Amino acid sequence: MTAILEVSGLVAGYGAAPVLHGLDFAVPQGGVATILGANGAGKTTTLRAVSGLIRPAGEIRFAGERIDRLSTEDIARRGIAHVPDGRGTFVHLSVEENLRLGAYTRRDPAGVARDFERVFALFPVLQERRRQQAGTLSGGEQQMLAISRALMLRPRLLLMDEPSFGLAPLIVREIFRIMRAINAEEGVAILLVEQNAGLALELASQAYLLETGRVVVAGSADALGADDAVRRSYLGY
Amino acid sequence: MTAPSARQWKVAGLALLLLFACALPFLVSSYRTFQLTSALSYAIALLGLNILTGWNGQISLGHGAFYAIGAYVAAILMDRWDVPYWATIPAAGLVCLGAGFLFGLPALRLEGLYLALATFALALATPQLLKSKHLEQWTGGVQGIVIMKPDPPFGLPLDQDQWLYFFALAVALAMFWLARNLLAGRIGRALVAIREHPTAAEAMGIDIAFYKSATFGVSAMFTGIAGALGAIVIQFVAPDSFTLFLSITLLVGIVVGGLASLSGAVWGALFIQFIPNVADQISKAAPWAIYGLFLIACMYLMPTGVAGLVRATAARLARSPRRP
Amino acid sequence: MEAFLHQVLSGLATGGIYAIVALALVMIYQATHLVNFAQGEMAMFSTYLAWTMIDAGLPYWGAFAGTVALSFALGIAIERIVIRPVGNAPVLAVVIVFIGLLVILNSVAGWIYTYTIKSFPSPFPGGSVLGGYLSRHELGVMGVTLGVLLLLFLFFRFTPLGLAMRAAAQNPVSSRLVGIRVGWMLALGWGLAAAIGAVAGMMVAPIVFLDPNMMAGILLYGFAGALLGGIDNPAGAVAGGLAVGVLENLSGAYLVGTELKLTVALVLIVGVLVVRPSGLFGRVLVNRV
């Protein structure tokens, strides 16, 4: 299986002190990989480095092409959609405007119109609230909007930063169900960062365990989930 | 014998500088002496603005207004009540201390940009206020006030320009001494703390509101004293000398001289006194074009101003091995 | 009563010009959260460009369009060359750069065109309307104000670029993540501000005559209008500009006389900043200390 995202020797951080000390990981084409780890392990930093929000050292390849020197805008234009921590919705704009922004780089109006239908089918509540200001949505609805906005880009890879954060368990289930559907039916690869290791391992095929900026365990999601030592010392369930 | 310490070097340097300053009026023409006197008054004004903007981080684009108040207090006292010129200096200082403190009160609630905006408005409104017919009986309206140049006292063998120079030098020395003592210790650290980390400063128990408005007052006092001195030197005050461009000139002075630097006030004063004279020969507009270029260039290339450049050069010279 | 009505109407007309200046200020504030102190001088410089074109024989509306386009380009160039390098600098540095820009534009205009005042034509015929309450130029200015506002509304509401500019102003990080080139959006904001300012300059020049210092007082009233209406809100800024124009006229006629115009603006600015920093229609803009 080839990888759509290959990362090797990734070093990144804020200011002088690096947070990440040489990560190697990959996301398979059309697959789901997850990065697990405690608070402060460097999960969010990893995603920010992939989408160019911070300037990394090391090599990042997307569909075979080096992207670690590109700007965030150009990385997005190549088909990587990043749902950041805190969701990053445009709170003063309407739901519909948020979605239109997701498709900002696209030049196929017909395709964009179809994708509106598609995300409204996935999340009917967004259609009901399409004229409403995004800031007035509930947490779960905002997460749905954030995912939908990312889908409007027609991404080949979706970076998800803690989609379960601050949401009720029922809504978390629903969101994970839809992520699975997006992955299975449309072949969008996903790189998922999560605190909720159980859910993440269920969805992912590959898993990486991060500790203070280093990958300490890597392997298939099933193997990681089954390893008692890993479970006890890192995943806490 | 041990090598002289940095402090001893500094004292010796300052003494030499003072000696040079005292000798200057005997070495140059009386017009140059007049220019130097006026530069001294600018230096005091810059010191005042620098305390507010450089040390405390409150941006004022309207310090020309306080300079104007100081100048008018001096001129009115001398013109209407025959107050001796030297007595107008403390009077101007006191009036501006009050005016600055009062303006500082609403300004307290304004941060960065908005304080700049409010003071910008103050600078634009100043000449109009001075021309106002309600104040005309004191200010002389558009005509302004002409005042007499003082004679040297005690039969000193100096001409008027030389005497004024020494008078201004004495006032300037006193003001620099005052500023140094204010800024060297606890108060100076509090001002910088408020500029850099207002929240932390508050947590440390610094009364930000008091410090900020007091700083505004003290800063206006310095600038007002400079204005009084400037009026006595020029022997004339009129509304159109105190436009927005005076306030901008003062800003140019502290930026070019060096923000939050005592010696920067002197460099800045020399700059705003002498550069326009040189540039004037190119075109009437040239001094301002040069001011503008210097403002922007300083922000890009030399954010510590001339004072910073001098410090860096001195440090480099001290580090490099002496040549035989 | 008639005199009062006259004051209000002509106040609305001057207010229209303040409103355009306020709109220009809002463009840059929205994009960068900065107040452009050089806005007035940019408008003044644009007006000189228009004067040059008209002087060279171009018809008025041709010169008008040319000036707006050229100003737009110059605004973008200023952002790219002068403002960009201090993008992340402290407020003091940015304000100093703005003042530097103000001074340079003022002196360059003085250098090229001298400080003697020039007359500038109005595109509207002479004479008055509404029974003498308004000159045709004043009525025209109101029409232009509303036209500019309408165009901006359509642009921001209905075009993808307008939406992207609003997004970039609100949440730069998310904007970059959807592929918006945020840096260019800021530059566009400057371009728009310069173009709008040019309109204000060309509208006011027939009234106050053209000279390098013509915009100082108008900018101050523009500030007051923008602050009163809310400096992050274009419609609010227009309302604020109009209100300030009326206030100026009424206070001039009934309170302090015209000689203290700028003082009225000063009091308005400080008053609004202290009492209601978000303006009448704006979101909170000042972080209290």
Side-chain angles (χ1 to χ4, degrees):
Chain A
M1 192 159 59
T2 56
I4 185 145
L5 185 75
E6 287 175 275
V7 175
S8 55
L10 178 65
V11 176
Y14 308 91
V19 176
L20 308 177
H21 310 274
L23 301 192
D24 300 303
F25 65 91
V27 181
Q29 187 96 44
V32 180
T34 183
I35 297 178
L36 307 172
N39 268 332
K43 302 186 302 277
T44 295
T45 308
T46 306
L47 293 191
R48 291 171 63 84
V50 170
S51 59
L53 288 172
I54 50 175
R55 184 59 60 227
E59 206 180 285
I60 304 175
R61 280 179 186 279
F62 177 64
E65 182 197 9
R66 285 281 295 256
I67 58 165
D68 44 87
R69 287 281 160 267
L70 296 180
S71 69
T72 300
E73 295 93 314
D74 287 320
I75 291 172
R77 281 158 196 259
R78 277 168 176 68
I80 296 183
H82 183 164
V83 181
D85 57 331
R87 299 171 197 127
T89 37
F90 299 94
V91 288
H92 298 298
L93 302 182
S94 73
V95 168
E96 187 180 333
E97 284 171 331
N98 268 274
L99 294 175
R100 267 205 277 153
L101 282 169
Y104 176 72
T105 56
R106 293 174 56 184
R107 294 289 169 266
D108 55 329
V112 172
R114 273 198 304 280
D115 281 343
F116 262 102
E117 301 296 318
R118 177 172 75 127
V119 300
F120 286 151
L122 285 173
F123 302 107
V125 64
L126 294 183
Q127 185 158 27
E128 289 165 32
R129 305 198 188 286
R130 62 190 292 175
R131 306 247 171 255
Q132 214 165 307
Q133 263 202 2
T136 64
L137 301 183
S138 72
E141 288 163 351
Q142 287 205 29
Q143 188 65 61
M144 295 174 193
L145 177 59
I147 295 172
S148 304
R149 193 189 68 217
L151 289 178
M152 292 302 289
L153 186 77
R154 273 259 160 223
R156 287 186 284 167
L157 173 66
L158 197 55
L159 309 179
M160 301 280 301
D161 198 343
E162 304 240 2
S164 73
F165 187 80
L167 299 183
L170 216 64
I171 297 171
V172 173
R173 279 270 153 217
E174 172 71 4
I175 283 178
F176 270 76
R177 185 185 65 71
I178 287 168
M179 283 200 297
R180 182 186 300 278
I182 293 164
N183 173 251
E185 288 159 26
E186 308 183 25
V188 179
I190 299 175
L191 176 57
L192 171 67
V193 152
E194 251 306 336
Q195 292 258 7
N196 188 334
L199 272 174
L201 289 174
E202 243 174 69
L203 182 67
S205 59
Q206 294 291 307
Y208 299 87
L209 191 59
L210 216 56
E211 198 184 57
T212 56
R214 292 190 171 80
V215 175
V216 286
V217 183
S220 79
D222 297 339
L224 247 80
D227 186 326
D228 278 346
V230 170
R231 263 172 55 175
R232 261 197 308 280
S233 39
Y234 292 107
L235 306 180
Y237 68 95
Chain B
M1 206 178 98
T2 54
S5 72
R7 187 179 160 73
Q8 282 165 319
W9 274 114
K10 211 171 164 185
V11 171
L14 282 177
L16 215 69
L17 204 67
L18 187 62
L19 208 66
F20 177 67
C22 289
L24 257 180
F26 303 105
L27 303 173
V28 299
S29 70
S30 64
Y31 178 63
R32 279 270 179 270
T33 305
F34 159 79
Q35 285 184 317
L36 288 167
T37 312
S38 146
L40 282 169
S41 101
Y42 277 140
I44 301 170
L46 295 182
L47 201 53
L49 181 57
N50 220 340
I51 291 171
L52 184 73
T53 302
W55 267 276
N56 200 209
Q58 301 190 66
I59 307 171
S60 171
L61 301 177
H63 253 47
F66 299 110
Y67 194 90
I69 294 174
Y72 267 90
V73 167
I76 292 170
L77 286 178
M78 290 167 72
D79 180 55
R80 312 269 313 183
W81 285 291
D82 289 324
V83 175
Y85 67 95
W86 49 267
T88 64
I89 302 280
L94 277 177
V95 170
C96 286
L97 181 68
F101 190 81
L102 287 180
F103 196 86
L105 287 180
L108 261 184
R109 298 186 55 176
L110 309 179
E111 249 186 317
L113 208 52
Y114 300 95
L115 182 60
L117 192 52
T119 49
F120 184 78
L122 176 67
L124 278 175
T126 298
Q128 259 196 2
L129 270 170
L130 294 173
K131 285 176 199 165
S132 157
K133 59 177 180 290
H134 305 286
L135 300 173
E136 201 164 4
Q137 48 170 324
W138 294 293
T139 60
V142 187
Q143 307 298 322
I145 305 169
V146 177
I147 47 187
M148 298 299 288
K149 199 178 249 189
D151 284 320
F154 323 120
L156 285 174
L158 298 169
D159 65 31
Q160 285 176 324
D161 288 313
Q162 285 169 337
W163 163 244
L164 254 187
Y165 173 84
F166 282 108
F167 178 70
L169 186 62
V171 175
L173 284 176
M175 298 314 287
F176 271 82
W177 179 83
L178 180 64
R180 207 197 83 90
N181 285 326
L182 271 179
L183 295 167
R186 223 169 52 85
I187 298 176
R189 283 196 301 277
L191 295 190
V192 173
I194 291 170
R195 178 189 76 196
E196 296 293 329
H197 303 285
T199 330
E202 198 159 22
M204 278 155 55
I206 296 172
D207 181 351
I208 293 191
F210 170 77
Y211 267 104
K212 281 184 128 177
S213 36
T215 307
F216 219 108
V218 169
S219 161
M221 178 187 81
F222 273 77
T223 306
I225 285 175
L229 205 53
I232 297 169
V233 174
I234 313 242
Q235 303 162 62
F236 176 59
V237 292
D240 287 327
S241 328
F242 305 105
T243 60
L244 171 68
F245 288 95
L246 172 63
S247 296
I248 294 181
T249 303
L250 297 179
L251 184 74
V252 172
I254 64 166
V255 170
V256 173
L259 291 165
S261 151
L262 286 175
S263 63
V266 178
W267 299 118
L270 291 174
F271 182 87
I272 58 181
Q273 177 64 43
F274 289 105
I275 291 298
N277 283 338
V278 181
D280 236 353
Q281 291 155 8
I282 309 171
S283 151
K284 184 178 169 236
W288 287 102
I290 289 174
Y291 276 5
L293 286 176
F294 263 89
L295 273 179
I296 295 179
C298 275
M299 282 302 103
Y300 293 165
L301 310 171
M302 202 170 69
T304 49
V306 175
L309 207 63
V310 169
R311 261 198 309 276
T313 314
R316 199 167 303 149
L317 287 178
R319 247 185 284 117
S320 67
R322 303 270 153 79
R323 277 175 208 158
Chain C
M1 189 61 216
E2 221 164 87
F4 179 81
L5 195 64
H6 178 74
Q7 293 295 346
V8 170
L9 280 175
S10 82
L12 280 175
T14 15
I17 290 163
Y18 302 150
I20 306 178
V21 174
L23 266 178
L25 292 168
V26 170
M27 288 303 114
I28 288 176
Y29 185 86
Q30 275 192 324
T32 57
H33 289 243
L34 293 171
V35 176
N36 179 13
F37 288 94
Q39 190 70 62
E41 311 310 286
M42 283 165 60
M44 171 275 295
F45 203 84
S46 296
T47 313
Y48 271 111
L49 294 179
W51 181 86
T52 309
M53 291 183 206
I54 293 171
D55 198 47
L58 236 65
Y60 182 90
W61 289 110
F64 183 94
T67 301
V68 169
L70 198 56
S71 302
F72 181 78
L74 283 176
I76 288 181
I78 287 176
E79 198 278 342
R80 291 265 122 179
I81 298 163
V82 184
I83 308 299
R84 177 61 45 95
V86 289
N88 296 314
V91 176
L92 175 61
V94 181
V95 169
I96 288 171
V97 168
F98 280 157
I99 296 295
L101 193 59
L102 180 159
V103 166
I104 289 175
L105 287 171
N106 186 284
S107 57
V108 170
W111 203 325
I112 301 176
Y113 298 102
T114 76
Y115 290 91
T116 46
I117 59 169
K118 294 178 164 48
S119 65
F120 191 87
S122 164
F124 308 107
S128 57
V129 287
L130 293 176
Y133 279 129
L134 274 182
S135 75
R136 281 186 210 279
H137 179 74
E138 287 175 322
L139 190 68
V141 168
M142 284 195 212
V144 169
T145 308
L146 294 178
V148 170
L149 183 64
L150 183 70
L151 278 177
L152 283 176
F153 172 78
L154 295 175
F155 171 72
F156 280 110
R157 192 81 176 74
F158 293 111
T159 69
L161 199 56
L163 178 61
M165 283 182 71
R166 280 154 65 205
Q170 228 181 73
N171 192 336
V173 172
S174 288
S175 301
R176 295 175 63 200
L177 288 176
V178 297
I180 297 170
R181 299 195 192 281
V182 172
W184 275 106
M185 297 302 126
L186 304 188
L188 272 181
W190 273 81
L192 280 180
I196 296 166
V199 175
M202 289 184 279
M203 289 300 115
V204 80
I207 305 171
V208 300
F209 293 103
L210 182 54
D211 88 292
N213 297 317
M214 77 166 181
M215 288 303 286
I218 291 153
L219 177 66
L220 205 53
Y221 270 92
F223 277 142
L227 288 170
L228 186 67
I231 193 161
D232 56 354
N233 176 342
V238 168
L242 292 172
V244 164
V246 174
L247 269 176
E248 177 204 359
N249 255 18
L250 293 182
S251 71
Y254 301 108
L255 285 174
V256 292
T258 50
E259 54 160 343
L260 286 178
K261 271 174 75 154
L262 294 175
T263 311
V264 172
L266 166 69
V267 170
L268 267 172
I269 287 174
V270 175
V272 173
L273 282 175
V274 169
V275 177
R276 198 176 159 78
S278 55
L280 296 179
F281 313 106
R283 290 194 284 265
V284 172
L285 78 149
V286 175
N287 297 320
R288 299 275 172 74
V289 188

